[in-house]
Amino acid sequence: MAPKALKVWMKALPLILLLSSAIALGQVNRGEIRLRVVDPAGSPVRAFVEIVSIGNGFDEKLTTDASGRLDARLLPFGTYQLKVNAPNLAADAELIEIRSGLPAEKSIQLGLPRVNTEVEVTGAGTLLDANSPSSAMQIGGRQVHQRLSSLPGRSVQDLVLSQPGWLYEGNAVLHPRGSEYQTQFVIDGIPLTDNRSPGFGPEIEADDLQSVTIFTAGFPAEYGRKLGGVIELNTQHEPQQGLHGETAVSGGSYDTASSYARLQDVHAANSFNVTAAGSMTDHFLNPVVPQNYTNTGTSGDFSAQFERELNSKDRIKFTLRRELTRFLIPNELIQQKAGQLQNGDSFETMETANYQQILSPESLFTMAGMARQNSHHLYSNRNPTPIAVFQDNSFREGYFKATYSRHHGHQEFKAGLDSDAVFLRENFRYVITEATQFDPGTPPSLSFTGARPDLEQSAFVEDQVHLDKWTLDAGLRWDHYQLLLNRQALSPRFAIGRYFPALKMAAHGSYDRIFQTPSSDNILLSSSAQVDALSSQFLRLPVQPSRGNDFELGITKAFADRVRLDANVYRRDARNFADDDQLLNTGVSYPIAFDKATIYGAEGKLQVTKLGNLNGFVSYSYMVGNAWFPVTGGLFLGQGVSSAVTQLSGHFPDSQDQRNTADTQFTYKIAARAWVGTGASYGSGLPFDFGGTQADAFAEYGSQVVSRLNFDRGRIRPLLAVTASAGADVFKHDRVQSSLRVDGENLNNRLNVLDFNGLFSGNAIAPARSFLVRWDTRF
């Protein structure tokens, strides 16, 4: 496509999307309940409705309108219990199952009151999903609202981190089951496959969310491109008529202050929703030394949404989201002494338009579309050492998706296609200020500018069949990738589940064929012939997409309808295993790949829900990851070339090879409106490969950091952080409720080194002992 044609196409793209594109409002694995309540004579009743699904963390109290109707949307697949009551009528409680994007119609006729009869909602039968063939983890609205407070930029990441199989490396970069930058966020059905950590992409606030679903296996064929882990984020939607909202302010250690506000007005068939948030902190990224030098950051975001029910079958929604972050890059000791000051920032604007049509009682058609503009900058403005770095990277993205779903009897069929066009632009420049820190002959400066489209398309079909106590899921996905290389692949997916009623247990197994595209971060720079000038020794190979086979077996068991155990074992075999490297000492990373990798492990989560006054969970992960030489893609300079060329066999630990990871959090209700909580997180430590000596590490990072490293094993010493919290509903009247909470993190005040010799000047240190206070009001 000619450059002129590309410019015309990109200018027209937002208008095209707003006029003709949409997303499934029910999301990929979301449905809705359309409830109608009538009295014994069949007349509509304004009734109180409580909808509960313990397994999905869903517990909402709603009210039908004057016509006796209520639409509850964005419900994760599973079983829900409805309790319905109205004045002078007998209460009723029933179970309903959500299994597709098609609305589940339910009509309840309340009878005359019976003497001494009361219906209690217990959530019995909703703790586990008997018809799910996969091990997706659910975080419901209650868990989102009651989460521990987070430093700015990482509220969603901290939620995900509590689940088994996930860990932090560097600056709140999430890594699922040993994967490097292969996490995909899906926001209201729109997939975002770029790096969303605080140092790279603006944050989606957890306060915006109604629920979170997390996949690390058993991926629907609808998902591709980045499959280390998939995180579905579903923003809040208020089903009740009238004006609703929320405000939250928080502050505490590291001069942290945050604010959030949401306002939604539902009137007849129209819904308007506006959110805004802002924050500042002196601990935005993870510092490289305990002194936490130059680590301030600010962030802000705004979103506006309009949704309209055109009729009982058609729905449309428009969304605009604008986000930004500005921050300093933390210094190490030598850089701080020299007076270095480096800045970074990110800006993003995203527009989506949504449409959904019910074709028949058994079929649903949706389209999906997005236009997005994203930019990321890095620059030095005072005394940088040993190198001054300037970066101005940006991309424009246009995404389109269409799906058709059909529910018939015990069968759920879905097919669709999508197209993702990302127009990359990279502008990079460096100036060396301390030549002795680089190999002789390294050019004192370099400038690079490049632009290229990343064009990706896919199509999929999947079918889920429920046969008595068995559930079978089969899918096939086709992917096409064109950036530096032109590749395509077919990926079959299979999952099977079996429910054992007598044991209150579901067993499942899955196989996923994986095709993952390389990270686009600085891929044009690292593949350019210009970088060959950086060293007399260089090796530059195109980065191939990663292909692999993922297997999982697991069980989910309920105990007394209040305790749930999830346990899984898994294995991942990947070819062209994706990793990353950084250019010189710039902190600018780019993708590389190794011949293969094998990652295997076991995970478990024990969740307690309303066991008396107790709620909480314990999660644990065991993982072993190894990657094999030779290198198969990426840029290698200087001494790295000889290793890449001569090392044709052998293996080494995956950079996310933390053998043991555990997390726990419990709350106890000590009064009607007050509660306390405690918890802890543990990690046995990541591997590291430091090119210098212990004396070099001491000079750069200090004795405290070096004391947390085991150079004999090449491992970071174990991490442990103890947390505590307390909260209370300080005001509650009619529709208005205010609560206050205090959270303390790392109360044991251990120096926890997350990563050593990693991105942004070397290593990353978790926050020291800190406290945050939050005041929340909902109406």
Side-chain angles (χ1 to χ4, degrees):
M1 188 180 292
K4 184 176 181 181
L6 286 177
K7 292 180 180 179
V8 173
W9 189 88
M10 284 306 298
K11 288 181 179 179
L13 178 63
L15 180 60
I16 293 172
L17 290 175
L18 289 175
L19 293 176
S20 65
S21 300
I23 175 178
L25 303 185
Q27 318 314 319
V28 178
N29 293 286
R30 295 292 182 271
E32 63 181 90
I33 298 173
R34 292 185 176 179
L35 177 66
R36 184 170 185 264
V37 182
V38 297
D39 64 14
S43 300
V45 174
R46 187 183 293 273
F48 301 101
V49 181
E50 186 172 359
I51 306 177
V52 178
S53 177
I54 295 177
N56 289 337
F58 191 93
D59 188 350
E60 292 286 341
K61 295 180 179 179
L62 306 168
T63 307
T64 62
D65 60 21
S67 65
R69 296 187 179 276
L70 170 68
D71 289 354
R73 303 177 191 168
L74 301 178
L75 302 177
F77 290 173
T79 303
Y80 292 80
Q81 186 178 58
L82 309 180
K83 176 188 176 181
V84 183
N85 64 76
N88 303 317
L89 293 173
D92 192 12
E94 298 188 26
L95 293 178
I96 186 170
E97 189 172 18
I98 305 298
R99 193 54 56 195
S100 75
L102 283 161
E105 304 277 355
K106 185 72 174 179
S107 180
I108 294 180
Q109 186 173 36
L110 299 180
L112 296 174
R114 297 181 293 275
V115 179
N116 297 327
T117 301
E118 181 179 353
V119 177
E120 180 184 0
V121 170
T122 64
T126 69
L127 185 59
L128 59 83
D129 186 355
N131 292 315
S132 175
S134 67
S135 59
M137 293 288 178
Q138 301 286 352
I139 300 176
R142 178 179 54 81
Q143 295 166 286
V144 172
H145 182 63
Q146 295 179 355
R147 71 189 187 278
L148 287 172
S149 302
S150 298
L151 289 168
R154 56 189 78 191
S155 59
V156 171
Q157 285 89 336
D158 284 351
L159 268 176
V160 176
L161 187 67
S162 66
Q163 306 304 303
W166 297 79
L167 59 85
Y168 271 156
E169 183 195 38
N171 292 289
V173 180
L174 285 169
H175 295 278
R177 290 186 175 179
S179 295
E180 181 79 39
Y181 297 136
Q182 296 289 354
T183 298
Q184 175 177 179
F185 286 87
V186 182
I187 302 175
D188 285 344
I190 293 291
L192 305 179
T193 57
D194 52 306
N195 189 342
R196 306 299 298 181
S197 62
F200 290 89
E203 178 188 28
I204 301 294
E205 280 280 351
D207 287 315
D208 276 344
L209 304 181
Q210 177 169 305
S211 64
V212 182
T213 301
I214 301 169
F215 291 92
T216 48
F219 301 106
E222 194 165 351
Y223 287 145
R225 300 189 180 100
K226 300 292 187 291
L227 291 173
V230 175
I231 304 168
E232 291 183 358
L233 306 178
N234 299 283
T235 57
Q236 294 200 47
H237 173 82
E238 176 59 56
Q240 306 277 224
Q241 294 284 314
L243 189 65
H244 309 271
E246 177 183 4
T247 62
V249 292
S250 63
S253 302
Y254 298 110
D255 292 332
T256 298
S258 299
S259 62
Y260 171 84
R262 176 178 62 89
L263 192 66
Q264 181 170 351
D265 184 29
V266 183
H267 180 70
N270 300 314
S271 174
F272 302 89
N273 189 14
V274 177
T275 70
S279 65
M280 62 181 185
T281 183
D282 285 343
H283 196 297
F284 188 74
L285 302 177
N286 288 321
V288 295
V289 291
Q291 290 84 349
N292 191 40
Y293 295 129
T294 63
N295 197 12
T296 60
T298 60
S299 65
D301 65 78
F302 167 84
S303 71
Q305 184 181 100
F306 169 70
E307 182 175 338
R308 178 175 174 80
E309 296 279 350
L310 301 177
N311 51 52
S312 62
K313 296 183 178 180
D314 298 87
R315 184 184 301 157
I316 194 164
K317 180 171 71 174
F318 300 92
T319 303
L320 169 67
R321 185 178 291 274
R322 173 68 172 170
E323 301 164 318
L324 62 91
T325 58
R326 292 187 174 93
F327 53 90
L328 294 178
I329 307 299
N331 283 340
E332 60 189 40
L333 297 177
I334 296 174
Q335 294 167 333
Q336 181 68 16
K337 186 176 180 179
Q340 172 174 290
L341 202 62
Q342 291 182 307
N343 297 70
D345 58 48
S346 298
F347 300 87
E348 183 172 87
T349 302
M350 181 166 61
E351 307 100 2
T352 65
N354 311 328
Y355 172 75
Q356 170 182 298
Q357 183 180 46
I358 300 173
L359 301 176
S360 74
E362 294 185 335
S363 59
L364 176 72
F365 174 73
T366 68
M367 290 190 301
M370 172 190 66
R372 182 164 64 125
Q373 304 82 42
N374 182 290
S375 61
H376 175 73
H377 307 95
L378 179 66
Y379 48 92
S380 304
N381 60 359
R382 190 174 55 144
N383 302 325
T385 183
I387 191 169
V389 182
F390 304 88
Q391 187 177 46
D392 178 7
N393 287 2
S394 63
F395 64 79
R396 291 187 175 185
E397 180 179 13
Y399 177 79
F400 171 82
K401 177 180 181 179
T403 66
Y404 170 80
S405 306
R406 181 174 176 81
H407 167 79
H408 183 69
H410 300 288
Q411 192 170 10
E412 306 288 346
F413 173 82
K414 193 171 188 179
L417 53 86
D418 73 0
S419 176
D420 194 22
V422 182
F423 297 86
L424 303 170
R425 186 183 68 84
E426 297 179 8
N427 192 326
F428 171 83
R429 178 169 64 92
Y430 80 71
V431 177
I432 290 178
T433 60
E434 184 58 57
T436 59
Q437 299 297 314
F438 298 89
D439 294 336
T442 302
S445 63
L446 175 75
S447 295
F448 169 81
T449 300
R452 192 160 184 165
D454 178 358
L455 306 176
E456 303 180 27
Q457 305 85 38
S458 72
F460 73 92
V461 293
E462 56 189 19
D463 196 11
Q464 188 173 100
V465 182
H466 305 283
L467 301 171
D468 193 21
K469 299 176 181 62
W470 292 87
T471 302
L472 307 176
D473 199 336
L476 181 65
R477 180 183 176 89
W478 170 79
D479 282 286
H480 176 241
Y481 165 74
Q482 184 177 351
L483 179 53
L484 302 178
L485 299 170
N486 193 330
R487 297 290 185 267
Q488 58 182 316
L490 285 174
S491 304
R493 313 268 176 86
F494 300 99
I496 184 170
R498 171 68 156 85
Y499 180 55
F500 301 90
L503 299 176
K504 293 187 178 180
M505 184 180 76
H508 61 84
S510 64
Y511 164 75
D512 298 305
R513 176 64 177 169
I514 300 301
F515 178 83
Q516 298 189 112
T517 56
S519 169
S520 61
D521 287 344
N522 301 298
I523 195 170
L524 304 184
L525 169 66
S526 63
S527 61
S528 169
Q530 282 186 246
V531 298
D532 298 348
L534 295 181
S535 176
S536 59
Q537 292 182 294
F538 66 88
L539 174 66
R540 185 164 32 84
L541 300 171
V543 182
Q544 302 276 350
S546 177
R547 302 169 189 258
N549 300 289
D550 291 4
F551 305 87
E552 182 185 81
L553 294 172
I555 63 166
T556 300
K557 179 169 173 52
F559 300 90
D561 293 323
R562 284 292 177 265
V563 180
R564 168 174 162 164
L565 172 66
D566 292 273
N568 303 299
V569 294
Y570 66 90
R571 180 184 175 97
R572 291 181 164 184
D573 295 306
R575 301 306 299 261
N576 295 311
F577 178 67
D579 209 324
D580 73 324
D581 203 351
Q582 60 175 306
L583 188 64
L584 300 179
N585 192 28
T586 62
V588 172
S589 65
Y590 56 87
I592 62 175
F594 294 92
D595 179 48
K596 65 178 181 179
T598 297
I599 300 165
Y600 63 89
E603 300 167 354
K605 181 179 180 181
L606 187 69
Q607 183 171 333
V608 177
T609 305
K610 293 184 178 179
L611 185 62
N613 292 329
L614 185 68
N615 291 275
F617 67 88
V618 177
S619 67
Y620 170 76
S621 304
Y622 170 77
M623 189 194 77
V624 177
N626 287 294
W628 270 260
F629 289 106
V631 297
T632 59
L635 171 68
F636 298 86
L637 301 170
Q639 296 179 352
V641 174
S642 58
S643 299
V645 172
T646 59
Q647 191 82 40
L648 300 179
S649 62
H651 62 84
F652 57 92
D654 173 23
S655 58
Q656 285 79 53
D657 178 47
Q658 181 164 273
R659 300 296 170 88
N660 298 284
T661 306
D663 200 284
T664 181
Q665 190 70 42
F666 282 92
T667 62
Y668 186 82
K669 197 170 184 179
I670 57 176
R673 294 188 178 184
W675 52 266
V676 294
T678 187
S681 59
Y682 169 84
S684 58
L686 292 172
F688 69 87
D689 183 13
F690 184 61
T693 65
Q694 281 189 248
D696 295 331
F698 182 88
E700 290 184 62
Y701 306 115
S703 59
Q704 288 180 282
V705 172
V706 173
S707 69
R708 300 303 305 159
L709 306 174
N710 188 329
F711 280 85
D712 294 333
R713 297 182 62 237
R715 291 267 176 179
I716 298 170
R717 298 189 187 277
L719 300 78
L720 177 65
V722 177
T723 65
S725 58
D729 295 329
V730 295
F731 178 81
K732 193 172 184 180
H733 177 71
D734 196 15
R735 290 177 50 196
V736 181
Q737 177 176 324
S738 292
S739 60
L740 177 70
R741 66 175 296 148
V742 180
D743 295 313
E745 303 251 12
N746 194 10
L747 298 180
N748 52 318
N749 207 30
R750 175 179 290 192
L751 180 67
N752 288 315
V753 178
L754 297 174
D755 188 32
F756 185 70
N757 201 30
L759 195 59
F760 290 139
S761 301
N763 54 324
I765 297 173
R769 182 187 294 132
S770 56
F771 298 90
L772 287 173
V773 180
R774 175 183 168 103
W775 178 278
D776 184 289
T777 300
R778 293 187 170 196
F779 58 91

